[in-house]
Amino acid sequence: MNFAVVRFPGSNCDQDAVHAVVDVLGQPGGLAWHKDRELPPATDCVIVPGGFSYGDYLRAGAMAAQSPIMAAVRAFAERGGPVLGICNGYQILTEARLLEGALTRNASLKFVCKDVHVKVEGQGTPFSRGLAGRVLRMPIAHAEGRFVHPDLPAFERTGRVIFRYVSAAGALDDDANPNGSSAAIAGTCNAAGNVVGLMPHPERACETLLGSADGRALFDTVLGAFAAGGCA
Amino acid sequence: MKLSAKVYVTLKRGVLDPQGQAVSRSLRGLGFDEVGDARIGKFIELELDAPDEAAARKRLGEMCERLLSNTVIEDYRIEVGARA
């Protein structure tokens, strides 16, 4: 499965994502530059990585969402291709309106960098199918991760909440919500389910050496979906 | 026409503004007890050339919709005038 990791000026988790898919999963993958108008040929999956694209100027992800490569990412997503936005990548996908809602300043006003637990739920996506009910431990590192949605009750009914912050035991708990996200939402998908964004970093949790290998489940899942001919 | 525009971007009512809350608390801590809610927004000054103010206003609206504000969480207000 061919992975394209989009690099913007200020991305800083792009190589972590390449490491996860190439070195850990043994898949072909490489970088796409923000000024490119096309994704690399034969791209099967796009990862929009974390970082501080364009210095988070104006709003986190706002400038990156308008860069040339995003038209190609949008076209890829509209064809049903799997797209994963991680942290700043999630902010970029919401700013690009590929995902609903917005990611705003943490309620604590602090940059929060620590391991959290999220529970997988919602409709099946290429990154979460078969994982529902699992509690995954992954790190977060962000100052703008508080998810808000203008019509949360309606959004909840769509089944597009895929990850929710929970305690290690898997319970919803205010203390387990690191940023004040509405309904402890940590990750969501689009209506078709092929575009997924989340604030935690699965690519930094693919090897036990790094403290957790739980994040690998997302990548293994998309590989499984691809092998079965189930995505794009 | 050489015009000057002022764009005010503010969080929609109902969107939690932790920055505003911190500022409000801080002001009250300084003894400004009359302070209630504080809301933090952005102020953007732009110079632009346009055939007239109405045309400038229309283009500024597009700028706000596409980049300057995130209309999911923010409102915007535009003022246009002659450039000093």
Side-chain angles (χ1 to χ4, degrees):
Chain A
M1 184 173 203
N2 231 312
F3 288 84
V5 178
V6 183
R7 174 189 268 176
F8 302 91
S11 294
N12 66 6
C13 303
D14 43 333
Q15 291 294 358
D16 299 30
V18 171
H19 172 72
V21 296
V22 174
D23 300 329
V24 180
L25 282 103
Q27 299 297 311
L31 295 167
W33 183 233
H34 71 118
K35 284 187 174 166
D36 294 345
R37 296 194 174 270
E38 300 289 340
L39 289 162
T43 294
D44 299 308
C45 178
V46 172
I47 298 177
V48 188
F52 299 85
S53 57
Y54 298 84
D56 277 353
Y57 293 163
L58 199 61
R59 297 176 306 279
M63 319 280 266
Q66 305 295 334
S67 62
I69 191 70
M70 287 309 292
V73 173
R74 185 184 303 279
F76 179 82
E78 281 166 3
R79 290 197 301 273
V83 178
L84 181 66
I86 302 167
C87 194
N88 187 221
Y90 186 19
Q91 295 163 339
I92 292 167
L93 294 177
T94 58
E95 282 284 344
R97 302 289 202 269
L98 284 166
L99 291 172
E100 289 185 18
L103 295 148
T104 59
R105 185 68 74 96
N106 292 349
S108 66
L109 290 174
K110 288 181 181 140
F111 184 96
V112 181
C113 182
K114 64 176 185 182
D115 279 7
V116 296
H117 294 86
V118 295
K119 193 171 196 171
V120 186
E121 59 173 86
Q123 70 177 70
T125 78
F127 302 96
S128 65
R129 201 164 286 133
L131 298 179
R134 286 267 306 268
V135 174
L136 307 176
R137 179 182 168 146
M138 295 185 274
I140 54 164
H142 62 252
E144 279 109 6
R146 178 170 53 91
F147 181 87
V148 297
H149 191 286
D151 189 352
L152 194 64
F155 185 69
E156 286 272 17
R157 283 193 295 274
T158 63
R160 286 188 247 156
V161 176
I162 307 300
F163 303 101
R164 234 184 267 270
Y165 300 109
V166 292
S167 67
L172 274 172
D173 174 350
D174 281 347
D175 289 340
N177 183 343
N179 52 28
S181 273
S182 300
I185 291 167
T188 55
C189 71
N190 65 345
N194 63 311
V195 180
V196 173
L198 76 169
M199 289 312 296
H201 286 270
E203 86 286 14
R204 293 190 198 169
C206 286
E207 295 156 286
T208 47
L209 182 64
L210 298 179
S212 170
D214 288 359
R216 186 174 168 158
L218 277 71
F219 299 104
D220 284 336
T221 301
V222 77
L223 280 180
F226 182 68
C231 58
Chain B
M1 242 181 126
K2 291 192 183 307
L3 296 168
S4 165
K6 292 174 178 170
V7 178
Y8 302 84
V9 180
T10 50
L11 278 175
K12 283 186 195 291
R13 291 231 159 270
V15 176
L16 175 74
D17 180 3
Q19 268 195 99
Q21 289 180 341
V23 167
S24 167
R25 274 198 303 271
S26 193
L27 285 170
R28 286 199 296 269
L30 291 170
F32 296 103
D33 300 325
E34 68 271 40
V35 173
D37 264 6
R39 308 279 288 171
I40 309 281
K42 295 190 186 87
F43 170 60
I44 303 160
E45 262 186 312
L46 294 167
E47 293 183 349
L48 67 165
D49 288 325
D52 54 54
E53 282 195 20
R57 218 167 257 287
K58 183 167 178 294
R59 294 280 287 173
L60 285 159
E62 291 168 19
M63 293 177 208
C64 287
E65 294 285 333
R66 289 192 57 189
L67 182 65
L68 297 181
S69 76
N70 178 346
T71 53
V72 175
I73 47 167
E74 293 170 328
D75 292 320
Y76 59 86
R77 185 164 59 81
I78 297 163
E79 290 174 7
V80 184
R83 200 182 308 166

